[in-house]
Amino acid sequence: MKKMLPIISAFVLLMLCSCSSDDDRGTALFAVPIVKSLSEIRGEITVSAARQTNSDGKIYVAEHYLFYIAKEQGIHIFNNENPAAPVNMAFINLEGVHDIAVKGHYLYADNFVDLVVFDIADINNISLVRTVPNSVEFSPVFPTEAAYYDVSVAAESDQIITGYRLEMKNIPDEQNQVFYEDAMAEAASGGVNGVGTGGSYAKFQINDDALYTVDNFSLNVFNITDPELAAFDKKIYMQQWFGGGMFETLFKRKDFLFIGSTSGMFVVDASDEFNPVFISGFSHATACDPVVVNENLAYITVRGGTTCGAIEDQVNVIDISDINNPSLISTTLLHQPYGLGIKGQTLFVCCGNEGLKVFDATDSSALSLQNTYPGNLTDVIPMDSHLIAVGPNKIVQYAYGDGNTLDVISTVNF
């Protein structure tokens, strides 16, 4: 989803001034910034017993633990030794969380603009051991329903905008009004070795002693040689290679990183863990597109729509046997594909309210739909033992059956 950048330019600030109480132009829906101080955000990090949530989420697996990352709420931790009966163990209250990664007994997460590190060796006694302040870019999602942006509310130097609320306000006169589209355009210019596994929408990946994160236009590198002294290493801007697209997802396969962006899939050589370099890419029209990789093939779901672009919904199979020259093998049209996963010759694609699609991918030039399973699902992690899927406020785990079939073994509803 396209996001507002965190800094609104001075030009927009000058153009959008407060509305006159005498204005009779009527009212409209405004996006009003929600502002919080960094000290308040950092002071609200707590660990508690298991609790409910009401948030879209991602999943992450490390050893026998299953993590549900409730966006901008916190992290639910399950003991998943028995996938038929996962046990909700603990909750990390982390208002600014969107992604995590785990290596050994350390958990790394974003907290709006900070990277935070938790020691999870004892799930019953989780502790915050490191904060790397102001090291992560955060861009709150701008509500597309809004016609105007209210800049009468602004963040001070020790504050950030964490989101927006919608509010009906008087429409400014013609001299002072900037519509949503204009404001958006102006703002936009400005597990191996103890490492866990995330879904196709992950934005965190670990490579030995480096942690990578992606924001809208850059790849960030952190040194986690000593987790309790984790430090920001560098920010690598790669937009000159990426055709202007915004980065969305990050997938690691061997020594390579595969970045899904709104303009395509791009490959980064991370054999030198602290100095990753761009080597190749595959471009398409503007769309949302997570990517997963298996051996010499990459699979991308490309979704159009209001916030993603005008491209027709599809699944692309990319030949990466020549890593310097990825090429398209096939395109399969599929309505509203989201996250995906590959296990052997079976491809799993989540299609939101249209359920989970299971494809025989033996012939990469012609994917064959085998089964569809109901439920609102958005991402999957194919484990060796079973499949884990996630949807809004739920986790579903499936046993693999014969002939590309699945059997539900447990469902967690929050």
Side-chain angles (χ1 to χ4, degrees):
M1 178 178 289
K2 294 182 180 178
K3 298 180 179 181
M4 285 285 291
L5 293 177
I7 301 174
I8 302 299
S9 71
F11 172 79
V12 175
L13 291 173
L14 290 171
M15 290 292 292
L16 250 180
C17 63
S18 59
C19 304
S20 168
S21 59
D22 297 327
D23 198 338
D24 60 358
R25 296 176 59 82
T27 60
L29 203 57
F30 279 68
V32 182
I34 299 170
V35 175
K36 295 193 72 171
S37 71
L38 291 172
S39 60
E40 179 183 5
I41 291 168
R42 291 163 183 160
E44 290 176 346
I45 301 174
T46 58
V47 180
S48 66
R51 52 163 280 187
Q52 296 295 109
T53 189
N54 184 23
S55 173
D56 289 344
K58 299 179 180 180
I59 45 176
Y60 191 93
V61 178
E63 297 182 349
H64 60 273
Y65 290 108
L66 172 60
F67 303 84
Y68 180 85
I69 308 147
K71 183 175 67 174
E72 295 186 17
Q73 287 196 5
I75 306 165
H76 300 265
I77 305 175
F78 293 82
N79 184 322
N80 201 41
E81 287 183 286
N82 179 8
V87 180
N88 199 346
M89 299 288 294
F91 178 75
I92 301 175
N93 182 67
L94 196 62
E95 183 184 351
V97 69
H98 301 86
D99 287 272
I100 71 168
V102 174
K103 181 181 179 183
H105 58 86
Y106 290 98
L107 182 152
Y108 304 85
D110 58 336
N111 186 30
F112 290 125
V113 296
D114 297 341
L115 178 77
V116 289
V117 186
F118 295 90
D119 185 337
I120 59 170
D122 181 357
I123 292 297
N124 296 307
N125 189 30
I126 297 170
S127 59
L128 174 65
V129 296
R130 180 69 168 171
T131 298
V132 186
N134 303 312
S135 58
V136 179
E137 181 179 295
F138 170 70
S139 304
V141 178
F142 192 92
T144 56
E145 308 96 315
Y148 296 90
Y149 180 86
D150 183 359
V151 296
S152 65
V153 180
E156 302 294 335
S157 59
D158 61 343
Q159 299 174 322
I160 62 169
I161 296 173
T162 62
Y164 300 93
R165 70 176 187 273
L166 294 172
E167 186 175 325
M168 294 298 296
K169 288 177 169 283
N170 291 331
I171 298 173
D173 58 36
E174 292 182 0
Q175 181 180 356
N176 295 320
Q177 65 178 266
V178 175
F179 285 94
Y180 156 68
E181 291 84 357
D182 298 323
M184 284 287 287
E186 181 67 22
S189 65
V192 176
N193 298 324
V195 176
T197 303
S200 63
Y201 276 95
K203 290 189 174 184
F204 279 32
Q205 293 291 342
I206 290 175
N207 181 20
D208 293 330
D209 290 328
L211 168 69
Y212 306 125
T213 72
V214 289
D215 52 42
N216 284 344
F217 301 108
S218 63
L219 176 69
N220 305 301
V221 184
F222 292 84
N223 188 326
I224 58 169
T225 303
D226 182 342
E228 298 192 18
L229 294 175
F232 178 77
D233 186 76
K234 61 173 63 72
K235 179 184 286 287
I236 303 172
Y237 289 98
M238 297 185 174
Q239 194 179 10
Q240 66 267 34
W241 297 303
F242 285 72
M246 291 193 293
F247 298 176
E248 296 184 314
T249 62
L250 184 61
F251 188 91
K252 181 179 178 293
R253 178 71 175 176
K254 297 182 180 178
D255 287 334
F256 299 100
L257 303 175
F258 297 83
I259 298 177
S261 84
T262 55
S263 62
M265 176 200 78
F266 301 93
V267 185
V268 173
D269 185 343
S271 53
D272 181 349
E273 61 193 294
F274 291 109
N275 294 288
V277 293
F278 168 84
I279 57 173
S280 63
F282 170 81
S283 298
H284 57 58
T286 301
C288 297
D289 67 337
V291 55
V292 296
V293 176
N294 185 27
E295 300 302 332
N296 292 324
L297 297 172
Y299 302 84
I300 306 172
T301 57
V302 181
R303 189 176 79 257
T306 303
T307 60
C308 295
I311 193 171
E312 195 167 11
D313 296 346
Q314 57 195 249
V315 177
N316 290 331
V317 183
I318 311 298
D319 182 354
I320 57 170
S321 55
D322 179 358
I323 200 69
N324 295 298
N325 187 32
S327 60
L328 178 67
I329 294 176
S330 66
T331 295
T332 302
L333 298 183
L334 184 65
H335 184 59
Q336 286 292 286
Y338 286 81
L340 72 167
I342 182 74
K343 181 179 186 296
Q345 301 301 318
T346 304
L347 179 69
F348 305 94
V349 183
C350 293
C351 294
N353 287 318
E354 297 196 9
L356 173 62
K357 309 286 185 180
V358 183
F359 290 86
D360 183 342
T362 304
D363 182 356
S364 56
S365 65
L367 301 179
S368 174
L369 179 62
Q370 302 293 297
N371 292 291
T372 300
Y373 296 90
N376 183 3
L377 299 172
T378 54
D379 205 4
V380 291
I381 299 178
M383 307 294 291
D384 288 339
S385 56
H386 65 292
L387 183 77
I388 308 176
V390 66
N393 296 303
K394 69 177 175 182
I395 302 169
V396 185
Q397 301 192 68
Y398 300 87
Y400 299 121
D402 296 330
N404 292 314
T405 61
L406 297 171
D407 296 303
V408 175
I409 54 177
S410 69
T411 301
V412 174
N413 290 299
F414 293 96

